[in-house]
Amino acid sequence: LRLHLSSITSTGYMGVRERGARFTAEARAGGRKVHLGCFDTAVEAAVAYARAAEAPEDSSRPSGGSSAAEPSPSAPAPPAPAPPAPAPPAPAPAPPAVWSGMARVRRLLERLGLAEYAAALEEEGYDDAGFLLSLDRGELTKVAAAVGMRPEHAGHFVESVRQLKR
């Protein structure tokens, strides 16, 4: 497994962005952005991106840019890859769709009178209400700035989310 290093991203890895105290892995497949998950470290997120990049050529493979793992036409074939690691345990069943993912974030924003920021939060990868609720005041302030909230809206967003955590 080869990680995809990047000199232009703040994390140092292609497809990895810092979100508050966590890191998200994202790839493009079939012209669409695919969220690969949230991770505690940039390396964990980079591994998820690298695994997606090594997937068979289909819609799950990230596109754009070349990878150090892809040989040039004149390069000798790389050695056979090691057998895959055992699959992680299956995740818990998802909650009903109305309370999962972006649907829950939208509902939260509607209750706060800030629904106009739903698309921006989703575009920036903040589509997990549980993750937003785990952030502290400073991290929530950075989220508000990243999505372009007006200062008075940002203050309302930060304080309301913090109160929901109690």
Side-chain angles (χ1 to χ4, degrees), residues 2-4 13-14 16 25 41-51:
R2 272 203 176 155
L3 301 184
H4 299 250
Y13 299 102
M14 183 182 293
V16 176
T41 68
V43 173
E44 290 171 319
V47 167
Y49 181 90
R51 285 189 175 140

Side-chain angles (χ1 to χ4, degrees), residues 69-118:
E70 296 177 18
S72 68
S74 62
V98 77
W99 284 108
S100 65
M102 194 59 204
R104 186 171 177 206
V105 173
R106 282 188 207 291
R107 191 168 172 108
L108 170 67
L109 291 170
E110 287 169 4
R111 285 187 3 208
L112 300 176
L114 300 172
E116 66 194 85
Y117 298 106

